[in-house]
Structure formats: structure tokens, C-alpha cells
């Protein structure tokens, strides 16, 4: 059925049914993890519908409904940023339903939730160098700690996602560049190979450590970072269940496979020699606003980055 050729809007249909319709069309072009967040949204909407004994149609998604749904999600103990992501995806789906000519209520777009700063950390180039040259005192025969460390360093210097830097082979190193078709976005990226990356490829004869599930990798990465001594105290706050929570953790506790990609993007920017749009081509960010929200800059980082500018000279 071609919804775009209807002269009059169709009636509203069950919203979760519409989500499944969209998922079915998109899933062929997306990764297997794509549907997970939408499955969670469907589950929450179904539970909300059952708890409050109401049917949710495409034209039921109003500003008032979203306000109530946000409170419901907070009562489920979800973090604020998770709720923001859900609401933004729901609004995008209602917008698409309107394009399909289904009946919608235009007030859905009045809700404007903003993400709060996250506790994500990045590693400076000094820290990455410290990690790279660390000598492990006790290792098993497979040298698992060393292999995980080396793989992580590659991520810190390429800005690739774990799904990409954990599947590199000798074929991906071409004339001093890492060339890879990314799994998530299915685009080709070409990154200059850092000297450390070249040394790691040579060390393993191109057979880069791989085959580690991300849960195993993250678990032992934290063990490694603690052993190396990344124990700076990090205090951060987040909203969960509608309440502000403040916690203090040591830095190693906050490091994961994705810290590598964030560190690469932040350090590339801090060199002051790379243009923002060039880095965004590597990271896949479409707007500078999202890019600057992604990288991690302190006021000290910013001051250091601009201190060499001629503006500060006579």
C-alpha cells in the first residue's frame, strides 16, 4: 500500500504495530543490534497500555501522553539519558507515521528533553603511551592481558568502534593506512596508522588479537587498567528514577571498549592540527553539536588548546 498517495489521512493505527512495520522494513539494512532499543520501547508502551488500560494509536502520542510516559519510565528506574533516547525515537516514529499519512497529533513535538552530561571518560596521549609501554609482571601463557591491551591501544589511535577494531586483519593495513568498512554504518574509512599501531601489526604478524566477545573484553580491560594504575578519582552525577545521584569512582572503573574511540576523537581534536569536519568524517558525527558533546574536554584542555593562538600575543 502506498501511503504517500492517499488524498485523506488514514486513521491512526496501533503505535506498536507501526513500530514493527518500520522495523521490518529497516532491519534488512541495519545491524542485528538495531532492533533491540525499539523492542524495549515496544515493551514499555505495551506495559504502559496494560497498566493504565488504554490503547495507544499513532494519534495517541500527544504532548500529554509523552509527559505521562516519561513519569512512567522514571518510575521504572530508568536513567534520564535512556528516557531521552526513547522519547526522541518515539517522536521520530510519529513523524514517520505522519509521512505515511497515518493520523497523528501534532503536539508530540512539543516535548523537548535534553541529555545530561555523561560520566564517559577519555585517555590522554600520555596515558595511552603509559598503557602501551606497561610491562605485565604476571601473565598466563596466552598473554591475554597483553593482547587485550594491544587491541585497546589500536582503538585509541584509530577512532574505530570495537566491532571494527576487534576484527582488523593484515589486509586492513594498506600503505600506512588502516582501511576498513565499518560494521554499523557500512561506510569505508581510511585512517593513518599511528606508529604504535604499526608496531602492533608487526608484533602479531598482522594477526591482530580478535574473537573476544565485548563483555569479556570490558571485564578484563578494567582489571588491566587498575593494574596499570589509572586510579584517579572521578565524581559525576546522573538522574535515575527522577532522582539526582552523585557518585565517585576510580578512573579504571569507567573505562570500557568505547573509551578507545572517544579518546581517539578527543586527542585528534586537541592536537589543534586537525579540522573538526575531518575528525567527524572518521567518527561519523553529522553535526558539530553532537561531536562536541561526544568528545571530552575540560576547561584546562580548552585553555591549553588555544594558548598558542596569536590572539594571546602582542
Amino acid at each position: 500500500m502506498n501511503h504517500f498517495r492517499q488524498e485523506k489521512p488514514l486513521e491512526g493505527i496501533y503505535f506498536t504495530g507501526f513500530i514493527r512495520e518500520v522495523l521490518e522494513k529497516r532491519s534488512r539494512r541495519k545491524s542485528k543490534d538495531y532492533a533491540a532499543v525499539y523492542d524495549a520501547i515496544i515493551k514499555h508502551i505495551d506495559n504502559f497500555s496494560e497498566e493504565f488500560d488504554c490503547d495507544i494509536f499513532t494519534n495517541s502520542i500527544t504532548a500529554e501522553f509523552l509527559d505521562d510516559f516519561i513519569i512512567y519510565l522514571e518510575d521504572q528506574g530508568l536513567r534520564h539519558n535512556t528516557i531521552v533516547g526513547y522519547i526522541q525515537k518515539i517522536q521520530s516514529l510519529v513523524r514517520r507515521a505522519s509521512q505515511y499519512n497515518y493520523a497523528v497529533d501534532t503536539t508530540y513535538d512539543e516535548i523537548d528533553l535534553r541529555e545530561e552530561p555523561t560520566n564517559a571518560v577519555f585517555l590522554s596521549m600520555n596515558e595511552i603511551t603509559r598503557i602501551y609501554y606497561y610491562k605485565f609482571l604476571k601473565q598466563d601463557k596466552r598473554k591475554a592481558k597483553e593482547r587485550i591491551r594491544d587491541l585497546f591501544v589500536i582503538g585509541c589511535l584509530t577512532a574505530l568502534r570495537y566491532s571494527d577494531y576487534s576484527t582488523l586483519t593484515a589486509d586492513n593495513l594498506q600503505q600506512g593506512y588502516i582501511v576498513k568498512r565499518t560494521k554499523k554504518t557500512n561506510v569505508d574509512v581510511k585512517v593513518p596508522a599511528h606508529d604504535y599501531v604499526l608496531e602492533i601489526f608487526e608484533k602479531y604478524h598482522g594477526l591482530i588479537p580478535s574473537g573476544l566477545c565485548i563483555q569479556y573484553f570490558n571485564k578484563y580491560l578494567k582489571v588491566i587498567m587498575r593494574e596499570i594504575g589509572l586510579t584517579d578519582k572521578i565524581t559525576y552525577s546522573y538522574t535515575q528514577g527522577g532522582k539526582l545521584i552523585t557518585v565517585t569512582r576510580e578512573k579504571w572503573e569507567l573505562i570500557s571498549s568505547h573509551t578507545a574511540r572517544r579518546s581517539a576523537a578527543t586527542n585528534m581534536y586537541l592536537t589543534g592540527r586537525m579540522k573538526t569536519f575531518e575528525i567527524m568524517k572518521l567518527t561519523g558525527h553529522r553535526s558539530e553539536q553532537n561531536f562536541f558533546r561526544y568528545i571530552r574536554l575540560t576547561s584546562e584542555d580548552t585553555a591549553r588548546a588555544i594558548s598558542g593562538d596569536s590572539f594571546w600575543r602582542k
Side-chain angles (χ1 to χ4, degrees):
M1 185 178 198
N2 191 332
H3 303 297
F4 296 100
R5 293 186 179 178
Q6 302 298 313
E7 293 182 2
K8 296 181 179 180
L10 301 171
E11 295 296 324
I13 63 169
Y14 281 109
F15 189 55
T16 52
F18 176 72
I19 297 176
R20 292 187 178 95
E21 179 184 333
V22 172
L23 280 180
E24 186 177 348
K25 292 178 180 178
R26 287 185 174 183
S27 59
R28 301 171 190 172
R29 307 190 304 270
K30 301 289 184 176
S31 69
K32 61 181 180 180
D33 299 323
Y34 169 77
V37 64
Y38 292 96
D39 289 339
I41 291 172
I42 289 172
K43 180 180 177 181
H44 284 300
I45 291 176
D46 285 341
N47 289 343
F48 179 94
S49 177
E50 182 177 350
E51 182 172 335
F52 295 99
D53 192 25
C54 59
D55 292 327
I56 310 297
F57 297 93
T58 52
N59 53 346
S60 303
I61 310 298
T62 63
E64 183 179 3
F65 165 82
L66 290 176
D67 280 332
D68 291 339
F69 191 57
I70 289 167
I71 294 172
Y72 167 80
L73 293 174
E74 289 176 345
D75 290 343
Q76 304 309 303
L78 297 187
R79 288 196 177 190
H80 174 78
N81 284 357
T82 300
I83 295 174
V84 172
Y86 285 176
I87 297 302
Q88 289 176 346
K89 284 180 172 57
I90 288 172
Q91 290 173 319
S92 177
L93 285 162
V94 176
R95 200 171 295 117
R96 181 169 290 271
S98 177
Q99 292 170 350
Y100 279 23
N101 216 29
Y102 288 121
V104 302
D105 186 287
T106 57
T107 63
Y108 75 91
D109 228 6
E110 294 177 4
I111 303 300
D112 185 22
L113 277 187
R114 300 295 178 92
E115 287 188 348
E116 60 187 6
T118 69
N119 63 322
V121 297
F122 89 100
L123 297 166
S124 68
M125 284 306 300
N126 286 339
E127 288 174 316
I128 294 169
T129 298
R130 177 180 168 190
I131 292 167
Y132 180 64
Y133 284 111
Y134 182 80
K135 301 295 183 183
F136 295 99
L137 299 178
K138 295 180 180 179
Q139 288 201 86
D140 57 23
K141 293 181 180 179
R142 297 176 301 153
K143 295 187 175 181
K145 289 182 179 179
E146 190 172 331
R147 293 167 67 84
I148 290 173
R149 184 272 310 277
D150 290 345
L151 183 58
F152 181 68
V153 168
I154 290 177
C156 288
L157 298 170
T158 58
L160 293 172
R161 295 179 179 86
Y162 180 76
S163 58
D164 297 318
Y165 72 75
S166 65
T167 54
L168 291 173
T169 68
D171 293 335
N172 296 118
L173 180 59
Q174 301 175 14
Q175 298 179 331
Y177 291 88
I178 299 296
V179 180
K180 178 77 171 178
R181 170 156 292 192
T182 59
K183 182 178 180 180
K184 182 176 180 179
T185 56
N186 197 36
V187 297
D188 293 323
V189 296
K190 187 175 183 179
V191 188
H194 190 280
D195 288 345
Y196 293 167
V197 174
L198 293 173
E199 290 172 3
I200 292 170
F201 265 82
E202 183 177 355
K203 175 179 178 179
Y204 293 99
H205 306 289
L207 302 175
I208 303 303
S210 61
L212 299 174
C213 73
I214 193 168
Q215 291 83 2
Y216 176 92
F217 181 88
N218 283 330
K219 177 181 178 181
Y220 284 95
L221 181 63
K222 285 177 170 54
V223 173
I224 292 166
M225 295 300 111
R226 180 171 57 180
E227 178 178 333
I228 291 174
L230 298 179
T231 56
D232 293 345
K233 294 289 193 299
I234 307 289
T235 298
Y236 60 94
S237 299
Y238 61 90
T239 303
Q240 183 170 8
K243 298 179 180 179
L244 185 66
I245 299 172
T246 300
V247 295
T248 299
R249 297 281 186 268
E250 292 189 349
K251 191 168 188 174
W252 64 268
E253 297 179 86
L254 304 177
I255 294 174
S256 69
S257 57
H258 195 78
T259 306
R261 176 172 159 82
R262 194 182 301 272
S263 298
T266 303
N267 287 318
M268 287 176 186
Y269 178 79
L270 286 175
T271 65
R273 299 186 298 274
M274 301 186 199
K275 297 177 181 177
T276 304
F277 80 88
E278 293 172 338
I279 306 172
M280 288 168 58
K281 288 282 287 184
L282 298 179
T283 62
H285 289 96
R286 296 179 180 179
S287 71
E288 285 194 349
Q289 181 182 9
N290 287 335
F291 173 76
F292 284 114
R293 193 159 52 218
Y294 179 77
I295 64 175
R296 283 292 172 262
L297 295 179
T298 65
S299 56
E300 183 180 341
D301 294 325
T302 304
R304 188 164 53 245
I306 66 175
S307 62
D309 192 273
S310 59
F311 176 84
W312 310 106
R313 304 290 180 265
K314 290 182 178 180

